[in-house]
Each structure stands twice: as C-alpha cells, then as structure tokens.
Amino acid sequence: MIDQLAEINELFINGPRFYLQNVSVDNVIFGYHEKELKVLLQRPQTFTRWILPGGFIKKTETAESAATRVASQRTSLENLFLQQFKVFSKPGRNRDELYTADNLKQLTGWDIPPDHWMLQPFVSIGFYTLTEFSKVTTNGSFYMEECTWWDINALPALMFDHAEIIAEALKALRIHLVHFPIGYELLPKKFTLPEIRTLYETILEKELDDRNFSKKLLAAGIIEKLDEIKKIKGHRSPFLYKFNRRVYLDALKEGMMVP
Amino acid sequence: MIDQLAEINELFINGPRFYLQNVSVDNVIFGYHEKELKVLLQRPQTFTRWILPGGFIKKTETAESAATRVASQRTSLENLFLQQFKVFSKPGRNRDELYTADNLKQLTGWDIPPDHWMLQPFVSIGFYTLTEFSKVTTNGSFYMEECTWWDINALPALMFDHAEIIAEALKALRIHLVHFPIGYELLPKKFTLPEIRTLYETILEKELDDRNFSKKLLAAGIIEKLDEIKKIKGHRSPFLYKFNRRVYLDALKEGMMVP
DNA sequence: TCAATAGTGTCTCTTAGACAATATCGC
DNA sequence: GCGATATTGTCTAAGAGACACTATTGA
C-alpha cells in the first residue's frame, strides 16, 4: 500500500515527467464463469459512476506493459495477455461532469488545478482480455472504493466513453472467437464438452449445435477425449476432455473457424 | 503555402497548446498501379533517410481526422479511408540519430531546445490505406524535399521504427484482403479479369488460379460482365467487367473470403 | 501460322449445417 | 420408470481447389 501511495503521489505531481501525456490505456477485462460473461469495473471512492481499469503509460514502457501493469495492480492477475483492439480519440471523450478538478481534489486530497495534466484531453488505447473470474481476487486501488465484476448485459452507469469502449471490445472478442480457439486459460485442465460449448454460447449469445461443435474441435485435434468422466448427480455423467496444447497454439497462430 | 507555413509555425511554437503531446499518427499509404505495390514516403530536406507521412493530432479532432488531414496535405488525396491497425509504443521508438535538436533547427530554422516537445517520446497510431498511385500528385510539404512512391520490395533506409510499421501494415492489408473485397477505388470503372486478378496477386505476392478466382467473384455477384471488350494489341482482347456496388458494399460489411 | 494472352467447365474432396435417436445416471 | 442431460452419425449441399484445352488477336 505504501508503494501504491508513493506511485500515486508520483503520478499526480510528477506525472508529466514519468508518464506520457494525452495518452492512456483502458482495459476491458472479460471474466467468464459458469455461463456468465462479466466485465471488471471500478468506482472511485467519491464518484457515482464506474470506469474501466485504466492508467497511464510510463515513458519507459510500452502500451502493452502499461495495460498489464494496470491490470495486475487492480487484480491478482499476473501476465495477462491483453490485446490491443482500438484507439478511442473523439475530442471530449474524457470530459465528464463528474471528472472535474474539484472532484479530483476531493478524491485525492491533492490540490488539482483546472489545467492539471490529468484533465487534459486523452486518447485511449483499448485492450481486452478474457479470464476466469472465479480465480480473480480484486484489490481496489487506493482511491477506488470498489472493483467488481458486472454482468455484460447489466452494466452500471459508466463515465466517459467507457460504455462504447466495452461495446467495441465485445465486438472484437466475438470476431476473435470465431477465428481462433479460446478456452485454455478459462477452463479447468479437464473439462467436459458441454462446458466448452457453453463457453462459446455465452460469449456469442447464440446456441451452437452440439454435434457439429464437438465434431469440429475433435476433428481439428484441438481437444482430446480422456478416459475419465466427471461425476454429476441426477443425470448422465459427461466425459472429460483436455486441450492438445500444440494444436491449440498452432490454431492460435494460423487461425481457424470455430463455431 | 502561406497556410502551411503558418500551420508549421503554430506546430513548433504552440504545439502543446493545440496538439496532443506524446501521440502521433503515421500513415502507410499503399499505392497500386500496373502490377506494382508501392508505399508513399517522404524525406525532410536535410535528412538522409525517409519517413512515413505522419503528424500530430489536434485537440479538436480524432486520430482518424488527423490521419486524413495529414494525407491530404501531402497528396492530392481527399477523403481517403484510412484504417487504424496498430499502436506502436516501444520506448525509444522515436529516437533516431538523425532526429536531434540540431538537425531540427537546421531543417526548420527554429531554435529547438533539446527538451522540445517534438523530441519527447511518442506513441504512434498506425493507419493504412490503399489507393491508385497514378492518380496521386504529391506535394511535398514545406520542409519535405521529396515525397515519392517506393516499391514495397525495395524500400530505402527509414527513420525511427517506420520499417516495422510498414511491415505490420502490409500484414494487416493482406489479412483484410482475404476477408473483404478490394478494388473499387483502385481499378477503373471498367476493368478486365486479368487486371483485378493481378491486383490480388501483387498484394498477396502469390499466383491465383484464374478459373477459380473469376468463378468466385462472379458467383458472389461482386463483379458483373459487360458487353464490351478492351482492345489490346497483339493478342486476344479481354472482356470488361464492373463492380456491383451494392453487393460489393454488402461484402465489405459482412466479410467474405476472396482469393 | 505463330506468339501471346484470355476465357472457360468439370471433377473431387472437404466442410458446413441440418437433423433425432439412444445412453446414462440418480431418484 | 422418469427426469435430466450427454453422446453420437448420416445426409445433403456448397465451396475450395486441382486441372488443360480452346479462342482471339495482330504481326
């Protein structure tokens, strides 16, 4: 916490010395767990609306490192693979009636002049990633009262253009999903066919034919059947499968159509 | 020219007031003409290496408008559709042994202090577009001695990380090409089958089967055969075709596999 | 008639997508 | 046996890709 406080002081006071100005990163961290797709949002203590986890880029790091750093400061997630998907640059995009010098002063205790660098226009580089949200512990940063998951279909009121950023990230995720396999980081080592199919169905918000779906993944060699079943009460127990890591990674590189 | 000079003065002196700092746009403008794929580059008067047409973003415009503005300042191209493809942010990416305060002073006549805002680190938003290069007249900007087309396979020495930006843009263009039709802005209203096939072959740097290629475009309805031929000396004259604009635009929206 | 290029059809193989009956488990 | 869910195969249609001969023009 000391470190974090020191970093925040540095940010407010010495920001322009260490950080790039007029550019930020915003992370859309999608979390999946048991048929639900969620997004990680945070709310600064004194604000009534929510924001994406985001931050500024140090002069000594890439945008990707900045996005990864921001994500791991807010959550227990290390080494997330965050993917650039779009730059948002509409003039006025980071003006918001809540985001004023007064409110920032109230939030931080610092005296923020109206021309403070953080109140300047910013273009934001959007990143997204997909993770298993039950594994994530969120640690709200110093000024953040809350940092929690929200269902993708029931988002709270957001600040700035962050609703638009989430919408664009979802579009990007779905396009990505159709061309590349997903699931390696999201499912347990051993999983069932209904589990992986439901994952796809949840993200795409449409039903997939069970026969065709498994046929395709098996034919491609992406997943392999194990000699075990998962005990489930009340009905037939499903077989377990595992990813073939090599084929999976090849498909990631080369691309393939999935659903 | 007066306008341009005024703008450049404003840029050097009042840059931080009107322009975003630490962010720029760089345009990879691909030009196609008769089996050749080229890239538009410029060279500042006193420099020995080349750069991409690029510039800064005004606080009152989007990154897209900035890219379009820059492109139309350097060429006769208005309303180009420039496509964001990646942000480049490696620390030190815009350091270059040629790009020093001294050299900038020599180039511009202005007294550039070593901590001038243009010498600060910049992340750059990469845009690309594809155009017919025979239609383009280049007007080098004030400090640019030359602004010319270079063959994609014989690029000159470049400054900064611009060689990498071009390589990434080409990757993006090729992926785009496989999923969406191109050619509308690149070919004359009436064109022949060999012409459009050669366009694809040039960009992809591989041969396409002439029968399958035409079959596909015709079956999709993207192009339509006309009742005219193009007179060519020395051998059989090819038929002319035109795009079906509606189908073409639909394919642009929906995506399709082309080659 | 030759050189150069354009035009065109068929076959095979793979894949996408539609579709429904049977198996297992726990109660 | 029943309720709940998992598993699995076949058929058809469309598309991808391989492949080679004929047509036209002008010199």
Side-chain angles (χ1 to χ4, degrees), chain B residues 209-212 215-216 232-237 259:
Chain B
D209 185 280
D210 48 2
R211 289 156 292 188
N212 294 336
K215 209 193 315 176
K216 182 137 187 185
I232 286 186
K233 307 226 182 263
H235 59 82
R236 177 169 180 179
S237 298

Side-chain angles (χ1 to χ4, degrees), chain A residues 123-184:
Chain A
V123 304
S124 186
I125 309 171
F127 286 83
Y128 80 89
T129 194
L130 186 51
T131 183
E132 225 291 37
F133 79 65
S134 69
K135 288 183 201 149
V136 179
T137 57
T138 61
N139 41 327
S141 72
F142 197 68
Y143 296 119
M144 300 301 163
E145 194 165 10
E146 296 179 71
C147 182
T148 54
W149 294 100
W150 289 83
D151 196 282
I152 190 73
N153 290 315
L155 295 173
L158 289 148
M159 290 180 66
F160 310 121
D161 59 351
H162 288 193
E164 184 192 344
I165 296 180
I166 295 173
E168 288 290 322
L170 187 56
K171 253 196 239 168
L173 169 64
R174 284 180 178 154
I175 290 173
H176 181 118
L177 183 62
V178 174
H179 293 282
F180 300 93
I182 57 159
Y184 208 96

Side-chain angles (χ1 to χ4, degrees), chain B residues 218 223-228 239-242:
Chain B
L218 285 166
I223 61 172
E224 288 169 358
K225 191 172 184 172
L226 298 172
D227 252 352
E228 301 172 65
F239 285 96
L240 287 167
Y241 290 76
K242 69 177 177 77

